[in-house]
Amino acid sequence: MDSGPSSPPPSLSDPLDAFPQRSLEAGDIAVLVLYFLFVLAVGLWSTVKTKRDTVKGYFLAGGDMMWWPVGASLFASNIGSGHFIGLAGSGAAAGISVAAYEFIGLFSVLTLAWIFLPIYIAGQVTTMPEYLRKRFGGNRIPTTLAVLYLFIYIFTKISVDMYAGAIFIQQSLHLDLYLATTGLLAITALYTITGGLAAVIYTDALQTVIMLVGALTLMGYSFAAVGGLEGLTEKYFTALASNRSENSSCGLPREDAFHIFRDPLTSDLPWPGILFGMSMPSLWYWCTDQVIVQRSLAAKNLSHAKGGSLMAAYLKVLPLFMMVLPGMVSRVLFPDQVACADPDICQKVCGNPSGCSDIAYPKLVLEILPTGLRGLMIAVMVAALMSSLTSIFNSASTIFTMDLWNRIRPRASEQELMIVGRVFVLLLVLGSILWIPVIQASQGGQLFIYIQSISSYLQPPVAVVFILGCFWKRANEKGAFWGLIWGLLLGLIRLLLDFIYPQPRCDQRDERPAVVKDVHYLYFSMVLSAVTLLVMSAVSWATQPPSKEMVSRLTWFTRHDAVIQKAPGPPASALPPVLSQCGTAEASRSSIQLDIVPEDKPKMHSGDVTPKKSRALRAFLWLCGMGGQGQAQPPSTAGPVIASLEEKPWVKTLLDVSLVACVSCGVFLWGYFA
């Protein structure tokens, strides 16, 4: 979406100027400054308030979060700036069908709390690769998964959110892209590195409130501008660019724009693909992705985790009204720019010959909002960018530290893990800044669809492995590994074909191979799921079943098994790479520290080293959560994050009734809009 320099010369008479030169007024700047001060204050408050000097405290917020910050963080982690830009852009280009991703997410986040989370809690796991290591044994699957997760985070999530943020920052504010993004990342990294997951969750809760207030306000202004939903349904189909060619079908609104279920063969989102192909990436994201599961595991207990999921599920209803429909309003109000169909004109409007639907949301913000509210919406976009980035940074850091670094250095002390986790966040921030030129060079007509197509090629095999691992006791390591490899191999081949043969523009002939042209990415998701399922089942049946230790408390049917107590002894020293800080590994690592620390302590006291620590060193140790006297001691608790599956009967009943109500609401929405 980069249209050259960040400050184009003002040309108010040019009707194709997407963003006429605007200077932020005093009210907008005041709102933005207040927002940044407020976020920093909340981030630093949670940094001081929470326990950051243990692995559990830093990576899992001490397992002490109530339901409302968990629910807000689930929503904020999911809704990044890519959603605002992408959902509104897809709404402007193709109608409401893209909201199907949000409605399926509603059911998936409930599936996490009621079905998958009890298994993770029973198995006492803190990262998703760790679950696979306990369930299947060996290191092939967890290591493959850890690397794949980091790849997906860096090259889809971080890059897409940075790209969407870049569109908004550069096109809307006319600021220097590198300066603005580096500043955002610096603020984001400050409380992520110092405060860990607790700081991320508390700031996410604040960002959620800001996002909802701002986006709902813009929704009100948008509907007022077109005469409500009725006015939108009438005017959308006549929202055509005045400069489009009359004898071309390019730039015409879809006849099924207000339907989610569309033709199974010729449409952009076929209904069988929505129901079956979309479900697997959604289950992967909501039930097995570290970013999401980590937030639920940080809850006080299972009831609070369920409450958080219910809150997130209700909030998932809102993107259709807050983002998709305003995107369609933007097309009605600004058809020449948002609905441009001629490649040359689109290039002039937004620098992208494929189409300019991705400018729909920024265009609304700058054109129809008054001073002050415009500053609030810019803060909303910044909030969306920062909340999703902090979530990814923290979760990627957790996976790298607990699943990869622990393999390289199984006897690493807790202090070393703290430092490694923070340094890895720093490296991610630097990588994100270096990634900006790549984002600027990328061209995408519909950003959200680009994200989902990549997800459909990489995520279904992982989802199938988790589902069979959780619900089929006969599944073993060999079956899971070969199912995963075959699925990922096919997905990568299709991904490469998509990059080699990009989708042609509307005015060009489609000469792509049949496997790319005729097999929709959602149908390919179904093929990948079926292949992974067949390979994993066949290999598991043909090889030895897993041992009882690999099934007990690690599947749905065995989650209430008695805990198997392992005898302490020499084998414990080999366990840290196999188990994480919630299992016996923490105890063994703690005992290693207990042996080492007392030897150092007399030396520290005999010399005058401790009193003469420099201020810079003390500040660095405080930033890393190790400034207290107790930092050299082993963690006092080495238990699981959520210790028990037990719930108070009346709370459980209340939550189950709320679940039925939420599912009914979701089914009604499907029925109404499908």
Side-chain angles (χ1 to χ4, degrees), residues 422-440:
R422 287 165 162 99
V423 169
F424 187 72
V425 173
L426 206 56
L427 292 175
L428 277 178
V429 171
L430 293 174
S432 302
I433 294 169
L434 296 175
W435 191 249
I436 294 172
V438 182
I439 303 162
Q440 282 184 290

Side-chain angles (χ1 to χ4, degrees), residues 648-663:
K648 292 179 181 176
W650 70 270
V651 175
K652 187 177 187 301
T653 304
L654 179 65
L655 288 168
D656 289 344
V657 170
S658 303
L659 170 70
V660 172
C662 190
V663 169

